[in-house]
Amino acid sequence: METTSEGPGPDAPTSAGTGTGISTSSGSDGFADGDADRATVVRRLREGMAVSVLSFPLTSFHEDGSLDADGYRAHVADRLAAGPGALFPACGTGEFFSLDEDEYRRVVTIAVEETAGRVPVVAGTGYGWAQALRFARIAEEAGADALLVMPHYLTPAPQDGLVAQVERIAAGTRLPLIAYQRGQVAYTAETVRRLAAVPGVIGLKDGHSDLDRLQRTVLAAPGDFLFFNGAATAEVQARAYAAVGVPAYSSAVHAFAPEIANAFLTALRAGDHGTVDKLLRDFYVPFVELRDRAPGYGVSLVKAAARLRGCPVGPVRAPLTDPSAAELAELKTLLATGLDLVGATL
């Protein structure tokens, strides 16, 4: 069974205007009073990113594919007990792409309720800007602190179109936005500079791992713009990202083995390269190799590992597929190895 492994995350104090969504009051321009709220969200995210990993909880489903709200609530509570810097519900790991609007509302609401202001809650949104705004309004009503703008659906787009997409979302919500580049969305350094000038856009999650481009992007952006490493199994590239000025990262492993995720971060921040290398060699790299066997295993394996530890997360939804019995056996052995490395048990 998974044991709570309190991470280095902050015990962020609950205060008015934090952890309960952006204030609905406004000045004469409709957004003036939101500026202070956005500054508070940026500060709290920066504080959380400085001391812990960013946690992307899984969304729990029953065997028939319906939402398991109770299982999800328990899973979120366990993630929070492990001390993340922030919580990102209904994003890629949380199968945002498979949720309808009612399910999305329930998922974000539960995350906000369980978090109770301890850390920022950043909900996913996406598709075209019109649909993204429907999700954004739900997230506002649910009390989220910010939004992660997922890559738009299907089609490639020029840089001007990518900027316009984010501008339309930013203009229609009070919540601060973190843009996410992955798949068909790849921003140039100049585009990120433009995005940083859009009111309400506060940061970038990078999923491309093009470190040459990312270095130029970091240098082009304003100093208060947030960046974090959003590569699949981000720990594998954490040192390389830190070298170009992006030390913060999301951790899929935190969703099923926070003991490993927190031990890795502690070693990394302490400069304990021996421990970092051992965890990479004996756990993270083999996990990536297993993950790369099938499309979508970046979510499917994480869910399977959580189930192996007794977490009530259920199966993935189609079009994703769960690992085979043989792959589950490999995963169980690998997970036991990783936990043993940090003094924990399956």
PDB file of all heavy atoms in Angstrom, residues 67 90 95-109 123-142 317:
ATOM      1  N   LEU A  67     -17.527   8.346 -13.843  1.00  0.00           N
ATOM      2  CA  LEU A  67     -16.671   9.048 -12.887  1.00  0.00           C
ATOM      3  C   LEU A  67     -16.853   8.485 -11.478  1.00  0.00           C
ATOM      4  O   LEU A  67     -17.983   8.322 -11.008  1.00  0.00           O
ATOM      5  CB  LEU A  67     -17.000  10.540 -12.900  1.00  0.00           C
ATOM      6  CG  LEU A  67     -16.170  11.431 -11.957  1.00  0.00           C
ATOM      7  CD1 LEU A  67     -14.721  11.491 -12.421  1.00  0.00           C
ATOM      8  CD2 LEU A  67     -16.763  12.842 -11.900  1.00  0.00           C
ATOM      9  N   ALA A  90      -7.635  17.743 -13.816  1.00  0.00           N
ATOM     10  CA  ALA A  90      -8.257  17.763 -15.140  1.00  0.00           C
ATOM     11  C   ALA A  90      -7.298  18.274 -16.210  1.00  0.00           C
ATOM     12  O   ALA A  90      -7.673  19.083 -17.061  1.00  0.00           O
ATOM     13  CB  ALA A  90      -9.538  18.594 -15.120  1.00  0.00           C
ATOM     14  N   GLU A  95      -6.732  12.988 -17.735  1.00  0.00           N
ATOM     15  CA  GLU A  95      -7.616  12.637 -18.854  1.00  0.00           C
ATOM     16  C   GLU A  95      -8.651  13.727 -19.151  1.00  0.00           C
ATOM     17  O   GLU A  95      -9.829  13.446 -19.416  1.00  0.00           O
ATOM     18  CB  GLU A  95      -8.276  11.279 -18.622  1.00  0.00           C
ATOM     19  CG  GLU A  95      -7.269  10.134 -18.528  1.00  0.00           C
ATOM     20  CD  GLU A  95      -7.898   8.776 -18.275  1.00  0.00           C
ATOM     21  OE1 GLU A  95      -8.482   8.195 -19.203  1.00  0.00           O
ATOM     22  OE2 GLU A  95      -7.795   8.309 -17.104  1.00  0.00           O
ATOM     23  N   PHE A  96      -8.182  14.974 -19.152  1.00  0.00           N
ATOM     24  CA  PHE A  96      -9.050  16.103 -19.493  1.00  0.00           C
ATOM     25  C   PHE A  96      -9.811  15.856 -20.793  1.00  0.00           C
ATOM     26  O   PHE A  96     -10.998  16.161 -20.914  1.00  0.00           O
ATOM     27  CB  PHE A  96      -8.204  17.378 -19.608  1.00  0.00           C
ATOM     28  CG  PHE A  96      -8.878  18.512 -20.308  1.00  0.00           C
ATOM     29  CD1 PHE A  96      -9.839  19.269 -19.655  1.00  0.00           C
ATOM     30  CD2 PHE A  96      -8.566  18.836 -21.630  1.00  0.00           C
ATOM     31  CE1 PHE A  96     -10.477  20.327 -20.309  1.00  0.00           C
ATOM     32  CE2 PHE A  96      -9.199  19.876 -22.285  1.00  0.00           C
ATOM     33  CZ  PHE A  96     -10.160  20.627 -21.628  1.00  0.00           C
ATOM     34  N   PHE A  97      -9.115  15.279 -21.755  1.00  0.00           N
ATOM     35  CA  PHE A  97      -9.680  15.071 -23.087  1.00  0.00           C
ATOM     36  C   PHE A  97     -10.888  14.147 -23.098  1.00  0.00           C
ATOM     37  O   PHE A  97     -11.625  14.100 -24.086  1.00  0.00           O
ATOM     38  CB  PHE A  97      -8.604  14.501 -24.014  1.00  0.00           C
ATOM     39  CG  PHE A  97      -7.894  13.306 -23.437  1.00  0.00           C
ATOM     40  CD1 PHE A  97      -8.422  12.045 -23.547  1.00  0.00           C
ATOM     41  CD2 PHE A  97      -6.706  13.476 -22.739  1.00  0.00           C
ATOM     42  CE1 PHE A  97      -7.781  10.955 -22.986  1.00  0.00           C
ATOM     43  CE2 PHE A  97      -6.051  12.383 -22.173  1.00  0.00           C
ATOM     44  CZ  PHE A  97      -6.600  11.119 -22.297  1.00  0.00           C
ATOM     45  N   SER A  98     -11.108  13.402 -22.017  1.00  0.00           N
ATOM     46  CA  SER A  98     -12.225  12.453 -21.990  1.00  0.00           C
ATOM     47  C   SER A  98     -13.374  12.909 -21.099  1.00  0.00           C
ATOM     48  O   SER A  98     -14.375  12.200 -20.964  1.00  0.00           O
ATOM     49  CB  SER A  98     -11.736  11.073 -21.523  1.00  0.00           C
ATOM     50  OG  SER A  98     -11.544  11.046 -20.125  1.00  0.00           O
ATOM     51  N   LEU A  99     -13.244  14.080 -20.488  1.00  0.00           N
ATOM     52  CA  LEU A  99     -14.259  14.544 -19.534  1.00  0.00           C
ATOM     53  C   LEU A  99     -15.310  15.408 -20.216  1.00  0.00           C
ATOM     54  O   LEU A  99     -14.981  16.286 -21.034  1.00  0.00           O
ATOM     55  CB  LEU A  99     -13.601  15.359 -18.418  1.00  0.00           C
ATOM     56  CG  LEU A  99     -12.555  14.646 -17.562  1.00  0.00           C
ATOM     57  CD1 LEU A  99     -11.932  15.637 -16.578  1.00  0.00           C
ATOM     58  CD2 LEU A  99     -13.154  13.453 -16.832  1.00  0.00           C
ATOM     59  N   ASP A 100     -16.584  15.196 -19.861  1.00  0.00           N
ATOM     60  CA  ASP A 100     -17.596  16.148 -20.301  1.00  0.00           C
ATOM     61  C   ASP A 100     -17.640  17.305 -19.308  1.00  0.00           C
ATOM     62  O   ASP A 100     -16.933  17.301 -18.283  1.00  0.00           O
ATOM     63  CB  ASP A 100     -18.956  15.479 -20.498  1.00  0.00           C
ATOM     64  CG  ASP A 100     -19.608  14.960 -19.210  1.00  0.00           C
ATOM     65  OD1 ASP A 100     -19.336  15.503 -18.126  1.00  0.00           O
ATOM     66  OD2 ASP A 100     -20.410  14.001 -19.298  1.00  0.00           O
ATOM     67  N   GLU A 101     -18.458  18.301 -19.566  1.00  0.00           N
ATOM     68  CA  GLU A 101     -18.440  19.504 -18.738  1.00  0.00           C
ATOM     69  C   GLU A 101     -18.911  19.239 -17.309  1.00  0.00           C
ATOM     70  O   GLU A 101     -18.360  19.806 -16.354  1.00  0.00           O
ATOM     71  CB  GLU A 101     -19.275  20.605 -19.394  1.00  0.00           C
ATOM     72  CG  GLU A 101     -18.641  21.138 -20.663  1.00  0.00           C
ATOM     73  CD  GLU A 101     -19.460  22.251 -21.305  1.00  0.00           C
ATOM     74  OE1 GLU A 101     -20.407  22.758 -20.660  1.00  0.00           O
ATOM     75  OE2 GLU A 101     -19.145  22.619 -22.448  1.00  0.00           O
ATOM     76  N   ASP A 102     -19.904  18.387 -17.150  1.00  0.00           N
ATOM     77  CA  ASP A 102     -20.376  18.085 -15.798  1.00  0.00           C
ATOM     78  C   ASP A 102     -19.300  17.351 -14.994  1.00  0.00           C
ATOM     79  O   ASP A 102     -19.090  17.632 -13.804  1.00  0.00           O
ATOM     80  CB  ASP A 102     -21.646  17.234 -15.852  1.00  0.00           C
ATOM     81  CG  ASP A 102     -22.852  18.018 -16.354  1.00  0.00           C
ATOM     82  OD1 ASP A 102     -22.829  19.259 -16.273  1.00  0.00           O
ATOM     83  OD2 ASP A 102     -23.815  17.378 -16.835  1.00  0.00           O
ATOM     84  N   GLU A 103     -18.618  16.403 -15.634  1.00  0.00           N
ATOM     85  CA  GLU A 103     -17.546  15.679 -14.954  1.00  0.00           C
ATOM     86  C   GLU A 103     -16.396  16.618 -14.622  1.00  0.00           C
ATOM     87  O   GLU A 103     -15.813  16.552 -13.530  1.00  0.00           O
ATOM     88  CB  GLU A 103     -17.046  14.536 -15.847  1.00  0.00           C
ATOM     89  CG  GLU A 103     -18.062  13.419 -16.020  1.00  0.00           C
ATOM     90  CD  GLU A 103     -17.658  12.434 -17.089  1.00  0.00           C
ATOM     91  OE1 GLU A 103     -16.934  12.832 -18.033  1.00  0.00           O
ATOM     92  OE2 GLU A 103     -18.052  11.258 -16.991  1.00  0.00           O
ATOM     93  N   TYR A 104     -16.071  17.492 -15.557  1.00  0.00           N
ATOM     94  CA  TYR A 104     -15.014  18.482 -15.329  1.00  0.00           C
ATOM     95  C   TYR A 104     -15.336  19.337 -14.108  1.00  0.00           C
ATOM     96  O   TYR A 104     -14.471  19.581 -13.252  1.00  0.00           O
ATOM     97  CB  TYR A 104     -14.864  19.347 -16.578  1.00  0.00           C
ATOM     98  CG  TYR A 104     -13.864  20.471 -16.468  1.00  0.00           C
ATOM     99  CD1 TYR A 104     -12.519  20.284 -16.746  1.00  0.00           C
ATOM    100  CD2 TYR A 104     -14.285  21.757 -16.105  1.00  0.00           C
ATOM    101  CE1 TYR A 104     -11.611  21.330 -16.657  1.00  0.00           C
ATOM    102  CE2 TYR A 104     -13.395  22.803 -16.017  1.00  0.00           C
ATOM    103  CZ  TYR A 104     -12.057  22.594 -16.293  1.00  0.00           C
ATOM    104  OH  TYR A 104     -11.158  23.638 -16.207  1.00  0.00           O
ATOM    105  N   ARG A 105     -16.566  19.808 -14.017  1.00  0.00           N
ATOM    106  CA  ARG A 105     -16.969  20.624 -12.869  1.00  0.00           C
ATOM    107  C   ARG A 105     -16.763  19.865 -11.563  1.00  0.00           C
ATOM    108  O   ARG A 105     -16.250  20.402 -10.582  1.00  0.00           O
ATOM    109  CB  ARG A 105     -18.433  21.044 -13.002  1.00  0.00           C
ATOM    110  CG  ARG A 105     -18.932  21.931 -11.857  1.00  0.00           C
ATOM    111  CD  ARG A 105     -20.420  22.213 -11.977  1.00  0.00           C
ATOM    112  NE  ARG A 105     -20.742  22.884 -13.216  1.00  0.00           N
ATOM    113  CZ  ARG A 105     -20.655  24.205 -13.397  1.00  0.00           C
ATOM    114  NH1 ARG A 105     -20.248  24.982 -12.401  1.00  0.00           N
ATOM    115  NH2 ARG A 105     -20.982  24.745 -14.556  1.00  0.00           N
ATOM    116  N   ARG A 106     -17.156  18.594 -11.568  1.00  0.00           N
ATOM    117  CA  ARG A 106     -17.034  17.793 -10.339  1.00  0.00           C
ATOM    118  C   ARG A 106     -15.568  17.582  -9.978  1.00  0.00           C
ATOM    119  O   ARG A 106     -15.193  17.692  -8.799  1.00  0.00           O
ATOM    120  CB  ARG A 106     -17.727  16.438 -10.552  1.00  0.00           C
ATOM    121  CG  ARG A 106     -17.932  15.656  -9.273  1.00  0.00           C
ATOM    122  CD  ARG A 106     -19.068  16.228  -8.456  1.00  0.00           C
ATOM    123  NE  ARG A 106     -19.252  15.491  -7.221  1.00  0.00           N
ATOM    124  CZ  ARG A 106     -19.034  16.002  -6.009  1.00  0.00           C
ATOM    125  NH1 ARG A 106     -18.616  17.243  -5.865  1.00  0.00           N
ATOM    126  NH2 ARG A 106     -19.236  15.281  -4.928  1.00  0.00           N
ATOM    127  N   VAL A 107     -14.750  17.296 -10.966  1.00  0.00           N
ATOM    128  CA  VAL A 107     -13.328  17.045 -10.729  1.00  0.00           C
ATOM    129  C   VAL A 107     -12.637  18.291 -10.165  1.00  0.00           C
ATOM    130  O   VAL A 107     -11.901  18.217  -9.171  1.00  0.00           O
ATOM    131  CB  VAL A 107     -12.645  16.579 -12.029  1.00  0.00           C
ATOM    132  CG1 VAL A 107     -11.130  16.684 -11.941  1.00  0.00           C
ATOM    133  CG2 VAL A 107     -13.049  15.145 -12.352  1.00  0.00           C
ATOM    134  N   VAL A 108     -12.880  19.435 -10.766  1.00  0.00           N
ATOM    135  CA  VAL A 108     -12.231  20.665 -10.300  1.00  0.00           C
ATOM    136  C   VAL A 108     -12.773  21.063  -8.928  1.00  0.00           C
ATOM    137  O   VAL A 108     -12.020  21.477  -8.036  1.00  0.00           O
ATOM    138  CB  VAL A 108     -12.404  21.806 -11.317  1.00  0.00           C
ATOM    139  CG1 VAL A 108     -11.778  23.099 -10.789  1.00  0.00           C
ATOM    140  CG2 VAL A 108     -11.762  21.428 -12.653  1.00  0.00           C
ATOM    141  N   THR A 109     -14.077  20.924  -8.727  1.00  0.00           N
ATOM    142  CA  THR A 109     -14.673  21.275  -7.433  1.00  0.00           C
ATOM    143  C   THR A 109     -14.090  20.436  -6.310  1.00  0.00           C
ATOM    144  O   THR A 109     -13.747  20.956  -5.234  1.00  0.00           O
ATOM    145  CB  THR A 109     -16.198  21.100  -7.493  1.00  0.00           C
ATOM    146  OG1 THR A 109     -16.750  21.984  -8.474  1.00  0.00           O
ATOM    147  CG2 THR A 109     -16.837  21.386  -6.137  1.00  0.00           C
ATOM    148  N   ALA A 123      -6.484  24.364 -13.020  1.00  0.00           N
ATOM    149  CA  ALA A 123      -7.295  23.418 -13.782  1.00  0.00           C
ATOM    150  C   ALA A 123      -6.939  23.470 -15.257  1.00  0.00           C
ATOM    151  O   ALA A 123      -6.582  24.524 -15.793  1.00  0.00           O
ATOM    152  CB  ALA A 123      -8.780  23.734 -13.590  1.00  0.00           C
ATOM    153  N   GLY A 124      -7.068  22.333 -15.932  1.00  0.00           N
ATOM    154  CA  GLY A 124      -6.836  22.299 -17.368  1.00  0.00           C
ATOM    155  C   GLY A 124      -8.003  22.891 -18.133  1.00  0.00           C
ATOM    156  O   GLY A 124      -9.151  22.857 -17.691  1.00  0.00           O
ATOM    157  N   THR A 125      -7.700  23.464 -19.308  1.00  0.00           N
ATOM    158  CA  THR A 125      -8.730  23.865 -20.260  1.00  0.00           C
ATOM    159  C   THR A 125      -8.143  23.696 -21.646  1.00  0.00           C
ATOM    160  O   THR A 125      -6.926  23.590 -21.795  1.00  0.00           O
ATOM    161  CB  THR A 125      -9.233  25.298 -20.027  1.00  0.00           C
ATOM    162  OG1 THR A 125     -10.406  25.524 -20.818  1.00  0.00           O
ATOM    163  CG2 THR A 125      -8.188  26.348 -20.388  1.00  0.00           C
ATOM    164  N   GLY A 126      -9.004  23.671 -22.676  1.00  0.00           N
ATOM    165  CA  GLY A 126      -8.440  23.451 -23.995  1.00  0.00           C
ATOM    166  C   GLY A 126      -9.481  23.288 -25.079  1.00  0.00           C
ATOM    167  O   GLY A 126     -10.632  23.673 -24.915  1.00  0.00           O
ATOM    168  N   TYR A 127      -9.074  22.689 -26.197  1.00  0.00           N
ATOM    169  CA  TYR A 127      -9.796  22.625 -27.470  1.00  0.00           C
ATOM    170  C   TYR A 127      -9.745  24.017 -28.108  1.00  0.00           C
ATOM    171  O   TYR A 127      -8.813  24.786 -27.860  1.00  0.00           O
ATOM    172  CB  TYR A 127     -11.224  22.101 -27.287  1.00  0.00           C
ATOM    173  CG  TYR A 127     -11.280  20.731 -26.645  1.00  0.00           C
ATOM    174  CD1 TYR A 127     -11.762  20.560 -25.348  1.00  0.00           C
ATOM    175  CD2 TYR A 127     -10.831  19.603 -27.334  1.00  0.00           C
ATOM    176  CE1 TYR A 127     -11.813  19.299 -24.763  1.00  0.00           C
ATOM    177  CE2 TYR A 127     -10.869  18.340 -26.749  1.00  0.00           C
ATOM    178  CZ  TYR A 127     -11.358  18.200 -25.471  1.00  0.00           C
ATOM    179  OH  TYR A 127     -11.396  16.961 -24.893  1.00  0.00           O
ATOM    180  N   GLY A 128     -10.702  24.371 -28.950  1.00  0.00           N
ATOM    181  CA  GLY A 128     -10.747  25.728 -29.488  1.00  0.00           C
ATOM    182  C   GLY A 128     -11.060  26.727 -28.400  1.00  0.00           C
ATOM    183  O   GLY A 128     -11.547  26.364 -27.321  1.00  0.00           O
ATOM    184  N   TRP A 129     -10.823  28.009 -28.677  1.00  0.00           N
ATOM    185  CA  TRP A 129     -10.968  28.997 -27.606  1.00  0.00           C
ATOM    186  C   TRP A 129     -12.401  29.089 -27.087  1.00  0.00           C
ATOM    187  O   TRP A 129     -12.616  29.348 -25.900  1.00  0.00           O
ATOM    188  CB  TRP A 129     -10.471  30.370 -28.058  1.00  0.00           C
ATOM    189  CG  TRP A 129     -11.186  30.991 -29.216  1.00  0.00           C
ATOM    190  CD1 TRP A 129     -10.822  30.976 -30.519  1.00  0.00           C
ATOM    191  CD2 TRP A 129     -12.408  31.745 -29.155  1.00  0.00           C
ATOM    192  NE1 TRP A 129     -11.729  31.659 -31.290  1.00  0.00           N
ATOM    193  CE2 TRP A 129     -12.708  32.150 -30.477  1.00  0.00           C
ATOM    194  CE3 TRP A 129     -13.271  32.120 -28.129  1.00  0.00           C
ATOM    195  CZ2 TRP A 129     -13.839  32.903 -30.796  1.00  0.00           C
ATOM    196  CZ3 TRP A 129     -14.404  32.875 -28.437  1.00  0.00           C
ATOM    197  CH2 TRP A 129     -14.675  33.258 -29.761  1.00  0.00           C
ATOM    198  N   ALA A 130     -13.390  28.859 -27.953  1.00  0.00           N
ATOM    199  CA  ALA A 130     -14.783  28.953 -27.497  1.00  0.00           C
ATOM    200  C   ALA A 130     -15.096  27.868 -26.464  1.00  0.00           C
ATOM    201  O   ALA A 130     -15.692  28.142 -25.411  1.00  0.00           O
ATOM    202  CB  ALA A 130     -15.735  28.849 -28.689  1.00  0.00           C
ATOM    203  N   GLN A 131     -14.678  26.635 -26.753  1.00  0.00           N
ATOM    204  CA  GLN A 131     -14.897  25.560 -25.785  1.00  0.00           C
ATOM    205  C   GLN A 131     -14.008  25.744 -24.564  1.00  0.00           C
ATOM    206  O   GLN A 131     -14.420  25.457 -23.433  1.00  0.00           O
ATOM    207  CB  GLN A 131     -14.625  24.197 -26.423  1.00  0.00           C
ATOM    208  CG  GLN A 131     -14.850  23.014 -25.486  1.00  0.00           C
ATOM    209  CD  GLN A 131     -16.278  22.921 -24.965  1.00  0.00           C
ATOM    210  OE1 GLN A 131     -17.243  22.964 -25.728  1.00  0.00           O
ATOM    211  NE2 GLN A 131     -16.421  22.821 -23.648  1.00  0.00           N
ATOM    212  N   ALA A 132     -12.795  26.211 -24.785  1.00  0.00           N
ATOM    213  CA  ALA A 132     -11.891  26.451 -23.655  1.00  0.00           C
ATOM    214  C   ALA A 132     -12.509  27.439 -22.671  1.00  0.00           C
ATOM    215  O   ALA A 132     -12.350  27.295 -21.446  1.00  0.00           O
ATOM    216  CB  ALA A 132     -10.549  26.967 -24.153  1.00  0.00           C
ATOM    217  N   LEU A 133     -13.213  28.428 -23.181  1.00  0.00           N
ATOM    218  CA  LEU A 133     -13.852  29.407 -22.294  1.00  0.00           C
ATOM    219  C   LEU A 133     -15.012  28.791 -21.522  1.00  0.00           C
ATOM    220  O   LEU A 133     -15.292  29.195 -20.390  1.00  0.00           O
ATOM    221  CB  LEU A 133     -14.325  30.619 -23.090  1.00  0.00           C
ATOM    222  CG  LEU A 133     -13.222  31.622 -23.441  1.00  0.00           C
ATOM    223  CD1 LEU A 133     -13.761  32.718 -24.350  1.00  0.00           C
ATOM    224  CD2 LEU A 133     -12.617  32.224 -22.181  1.00  0.00           C
ATOM    225  N   ARG A 134     -15.696  27.809 -22.092  1.00  0.00           N
ATOM    226  CA  ARG A 134     -16.753  27.123 -21.344  1.00  0.00           C
ATOM    227  C   ARG A 134     -16.155  26.394 -20.141  1.00  0.00           C
ATOM    228  O   ARG A 134     -16.672  26.482 -19.021  1.00  0.00           O
ATOM    229  CB  ARG A 134     -17.497  26.144 -22.252  1.00  0.00           C
ATOM    230  CG  ARG A 134     -18.349  26.808 -23.316  1.00  0.00           C
ATOM    231  CD  ARG A 134     -19.006  25.788 -24.233  1.00  0.00           C
ATOM    232  NE  ARG A 134     -19.971  24.984 -23.520  1.00  0.00           N
ATOM    233  CZ  ARG A 134     -21.271  25.258 -23.418  1.00  0.00           C
ATOM    234  NH1 ARG A 134     -21.753  26.353 -23.973  1.00  0.00           N
ATOM    235  NH2 ARG A 134     -22.083  24.456 -22.761  1.00  0.00           N
ATOM    236  N   PHE A 135     -15.023  25.712 -20.367  1.00  0.00           N
ATOM    237  CA  PHE A 135     -14.346  25.060 -19.247  1.00  0.00           C
ATOM    238  C   PHE A 135     -13.799  26.103 -18.271  1.00  0.00           C
ATOM    239  O   PHE A 135     -13.839  25.901 -17.050  1.00  0.00           O
ATOM    240  CB  PHE A 135     -13.215  24.169 -19.763  1.00  0.00           C
ATOM    241  CG  PHE A 135     -13.672  22.862 -20.340  1.00  0.00           C
ATOM    242  CD1 PHE A 135     -13.514  22.579 -21.684  1.00  0.00           C
ATOM    243  CD2 PHE A 135     -14.266  21.900 -19.529  1.00  0.00           C
ATOM    244  CE1 PHE A 135     -13.930  21.368 -22.218  1.00  0.00           C
ATOM    245  CE2 PHE A 135     -14.693  20.683 -20.052  1.00  0.00           C
ATOM    246  CZ  PHE A 135     -14.521  20.419 -21.408  1.00  0.00           C
ATOM    247  N   ALA A 136     -13.271  27.201 -18.791  1.00  0.00           N
ATOM    248  CA  ALA A 136     -12.704  28.242 -17.922  1.00  0.00           C
ATOM    249  C   ALA A 136     -13.764  28.794 -16.971  1.00  0.00           C
ATOM    250  O   ALA A 136     -13.495  29.024 -15.784  1.00  0.00           O
ATOM    251  CB  ALA A 136     -12.113  29.365 -18.771  1.00  0.00           C
ATOM    252  N   ARG A 137     -14.970  29.010 -17.481  1.00  0.00           N
ATOM    253  CA  ARG A 137     -16.035  29.547 -16.625  1.00  0.00           C
ATOM    254  C   ARG A 137     -16.429  28.550 -15.551  1.00  0.00           C
ATOM    255  O   ARG A 137     -16.730  28.929 -14.413  1.00  0.00           O
ATOM    256  CB  ARG A 137     -17.228  29.947 -17.495  1.00  0.00           C
ATOM    257  CG  ARG A 137     -16.937  31.197 -18.330  1.00  0.00           C
ATOM    258  CD  ARG A 137     -17.960  31.462 -19.389  1.00  0.00           C
ATOM    259  NE  ARG A 137     -17.496  32.530 -20.292  1.00  0.00           N
ATOM    260  CZ  ARG A 137     -17.619  32.498 -21.612  1.00  0.00           C
ATOM    261  NH1 ARG A 137     -18.198  31.457 -22.193  1.00  0.00           N
ATOM    262  NH2 ARG A 137     -17.167  33.492 -22.349  1.00  0.00           N
ATOM    263  N   ILE A 138     -16.426  27.275 -15.899  1.00  0.00           N
ATOM    264  CA  ILE A 138     -16.706  26.246 -14.898  1.00  0.00           C
ATOM    265  C   ILE A 138     -15.625  26.257 -13.822  1.00  0.00           C
ATOM    266  O   ILE A 138     -15.918  26.178 -12.620  1.00  0.00           O
ATOM    267  CB  ILE A 138     -16.799  24.861 -15.562  1.00  0.00           C
ATOM    268  CG1 ILE A 138     -18.021  24.792 -16.484  1.00  0.00           C
ATOM    269  CG2 ILE A 138     -16.865  23.753 -14.507  1.00  0.00           C
ATOM    270  CD1 ILE A 138     -18.062  23.551 -17.362  1.00  0.00           C
ATOM    271  N   ALA A 139     -14.353  26.367 -14.246  1.00  0.00           N
ATOM    272  CA  ALA A 139     -13.248  26.390 -13.286  1.00  0.00           C
ATOM    273  C   ALA A 139     -13.340  27.603 -12.366  1.00  0.00           C
ATOM    274  O   ALA A 139     -13.061  27.509 -11.170  1.00  0.00           O
ATOM    275  CB  ALA A 139     -11.914  26.380 -14.027  1.00  0.00           C
ATOM    276  N   GLU A 140     -13.724  28.754 -12.924  1.00  0.00           N
ATOM    277  CA  GLU A 140     -13.925  29.946 -12.095  1.00  0.00           C
ATOM    278  C   GLU A 140     -14.975  29.675 -11.028  1.00  0.00           C
ATOM    279  O   GLU A 140     -14.769  29.960  -9.839  1.00  0.00           O
ATOM    280  CB  GLU A 140     -14.395  31.123 -12.964  1.00  0.00           C
ATOM    281  CG  GLU A 140     -13.331  31.764 -13.821  1.00  0.00           C
ATOM    282  CD  GLU A 140     -13.879  33.012 -14.514  1.00  0.00           C
ATOM    283  OE1 GLU A 140     -14.669  33.756 -13.876  1.00  0.00           O
ATOM    284  OE2 GLU A 140     -13.517  33.240 -15.677  1.00  0.00           O
ATOM    285  N   GLU A 141     -16.116  29.148 -11.454  1.00  0.00           N
ATOM    286  CA  GLU A 141     -17.217  28.885 -10.527  1.00  0.00           C
ATOM    287  C   GLU A 141     -16.822  27.858  -9.469  1.00  0.00           C
ATOM    288  O   GLU A 141     -17.270  27.929  -8.320  1.00  0.00           O
ATOM    289  CB  GLU A 141     -18.436  28.401 -11.305  1.00  0.00           C
ATOM    290  CG  GLU A 141     -19.043  29.463 -12.211  1.00  0.00           C
ATOM    291  CD  GLU A 141     -20.024  28.878 -13.217  1.00  0.00           C
ATOM    292  OE1 GLU A 141     -20.264  27.647 -13.168  1.00  0.00           O
ATOM    293  OE2 GLU A 141     -20.537  29.652 -14.054  1.00  0.00           O
ATOM    294  N   ALA A 142     -15.971  26.910  -9.853  1.00  0.00           N
ATOM    295  CA  ALA A 142     -15.549  25.872  -8.914  1.00  0.00           C
ATOM    296  C   ALA A 142     -14.516  26.373  -7.914  1.00  0.00           C
ATOM    297  O   ALA A 142     -14.274  25.722  -6.897  1.00  0.00           O
ATOM    298  CB  ALA A 142     -14.980  24.678  -9.682  1.00  0.00           C
ATOM    299  N   ARG A 317      -9.902   5.660 -19.773  1.00  0.00           N
ATOM    300  CA  ARG A 317     -10.990   5.687 -20.740  1.00  0.00           C
ATOM    301  C   ARG A 317     -10.425   5.573 -22.158  1.00  0.00           C
ATOM    302  O   ARG A 317      -9.356   6.094 -22.459  1.00  0.00           O
ATOM    303  CB  ARG A 317     -11.774   6.999 -20.630  1.00  0.00           C
ATOM    304  CG  ARG A 317     -12.858   7.004 -19.573  1.00  0.00           C
ATOM    305  CD  ARG A 317     -13.592   8.330 -19.574  1.00  0.00           C
ATOM    306  NE  ARG A 317     -14.761   8.297 -18.686  1.00  0.00           N
ATOM    307  CZ  ARG A 317     -15.515   9.346 -18.416  1.00  0.00           C
ATOM    308  NH1 ARG A 317     -15.234  10.527 -18.958  1.00  0.00           N
ATOM    309  NH2 ARG A 317     -16.560   9.245 -17.601  1.00  0.00           N
TER     310      ARG A 317
END
